[in-house]
Amino acid sequence: SLTGDQELWRLSCYKAWDSHSSAALIANYGNNWRHMFVERVRPNFNGAYISRTTYIRQGEASFQDVHYRPCYLVEYYRYIRFFPNGHVLMLTTADDPHQSLPSLRHRKPKNSNVLSGHYRINGQTISIVIKRDYISDGSQTARKYKHKNRDQSVSTQTFNISLDVKTVRNRRNHQLLWSHYSVHYRKPNGQEMVTDFDLTANKFPSFWFSRVKSYVTTADHKLA
């Protein structure tokens, strides 16, 4: 049967990780490519990982009653979708999953708020690097000549994220826990600044995997 075809599982492993590391580790799985694909740590490809953050923000005091200050409940989501061969998408938005998940359907998203980057797997940890460029001068002249004067007008923001993969209640690779998050900002004049975030649980809650039926990838076969 197809479920026992080792060649199909070998190709699946090469797409999920890479040929070099897969070949080096196959002996640890009894030389069984299916066992490697099922048991080795990796992100799930047939859906997205979702993190929901909420916090209370105090408003300005009323000029009519200085003792009254309204409070607002702020809620937003972080979404991450992984593809085979190291491609990843990330979106931070106040929109709920029903509105946001379609934006992550394709490798080249149409939504400009979706960031694109790459990831690699090292043991239990997934490391993500995403770069985003900004045109520093918003004038029409800068937009017209941004390709010619790119080095003079573009700032670069690089996101470095590390997430630990966890299996929860026999659901493999179901949870992602923050282990590192920093942003490197480089201005057109060469000035650089790095921000390391304090990964408190209330500000950076873990990601939970959600299967999305509309996502079609090579890993979405019912083989495992």
Side-chain angles (χ1 to χ4, degrees):
S1 65
L2 290 177
T3 57
D5 190 328
Q6 287 295 300
E7 180 62 17
L8 289 178
W9 288 109
R10 182 180 68 84
L11 295 175
S12 296
C13 289
Y14 284 5
K15 289 181 179 180
W17 299 281
D18 59 76
S19 59
H20 178 73
S21 66
S22 297
L25 295 175
I26 186 59
N28 296 343
Y29 299 90
N31 293 314
N32 188 307
W33 292 102
R34 181 181 184 277
H35 288 173
M36 171 181 278
F37 187 82
V38 173
E39 297 173 10
R40 187 179 175 187
V41 171
R42 60 172 174 82
N44 295 321
F45 302 125
N46 57 342
Y49 289 86
I50 304 172
S51 174
R52 175 175 170 266
T53 302
T54 59
Y55 64 92
I56 302 296
R57 180 176 63 84
Q58 285 192 332
E60 297 293 331
S62 171
F63 69 92
Q64 295 176 333
D65 184 356
V66 295
H67 299 291
Y68 171 73
R69 296 189 67 180
C71 293
Y72 302 95
L73 176 64
V74 180
E75 176 182 83
Y76 66 93
Y77 297 83
R78 291 186 179 95
Y79 302 90
I80 296 180
R81 186 189 176 189
F82 297 94
F83 293 84
N85 300 326
H87 190 70
V88 63
L89 300 178
M90 185 175 73
L91 173 64
T92 302
T93 177
D95 294 336
D96 61 29
H98 179 73
Q99 298 171 288
S100 302
L101 290 174
S103 298
L104 304 175
R105 185 175 181 181
H106 303 291
R107 287 174 180 264
K108 296 182 179 180
K110 297 180 180 180
N111 185 345
S112 60
N113 293 321
V114 177
L115 304 181
S116 177
H118 294 86
Y119 71 92
R120 60 182 177 83
I121 307 171
N122 184 12
Q124 305 285 326
T125 302
I126 298 177
S127 298
I128 299 172
V129 177
I130 295 175
K131 293 185 178 182
R132 176 168 61 176
D133 291 340
Y134 294 93
I135 304 299
S136 300
D137 186 348
S139 67
Q140 183 177 357
T141 303
R143 290 194 298 269
K144 182 177 180 181
Y145 296 102
K146 65 179 180 179
H147 297 294
K148 293 183 179 179
N149 304 314
R150 182 175 179 82
D151 294 337
Q152 301 177 12
S153 61
V154 175
S155 300
T156 301
Q157 195 174 25
T158 303
F159 302 86
N160 296 283
I161 300 171
S162 294
L163 302 165
D164 293 333
V165 185
K166 300 294 182 182
T167 292
V168 181
R169 299 188 184 92
N170 295 322
R171 296 181 178 181
R172 290 192 174 276
N173 313 310
H174 192 70
Q175 184 184 19
L176 301 179
L177 302 176
W178 292 87
S179 61
H180 173 77
Y181 181 29
S182 65
V183 178
H184 183 278
Y185 185 75
R186 186 179 187 277
K187 295 183 178 180
N189 61 6
Q191 183 180 355
E192 298 183 358
M193 180 177 64
V194 178
T195 302
D196 288 297
F197 292 91
D198 184 14
L199 301 177
T200 56
N202 60 326
K203 292 183 179 179
F204 294 91
S206 58
F207 290 84
W208 296 90
F209 180 72
S210 178
R211 186 176 183 274
V212 182
K213 292 182 178 180
S214 63
Y215 292 177
V216 179
T217 70
T218 55
D220 197 19
H221 300 300
K222 297 181 179 180
L223 299 176

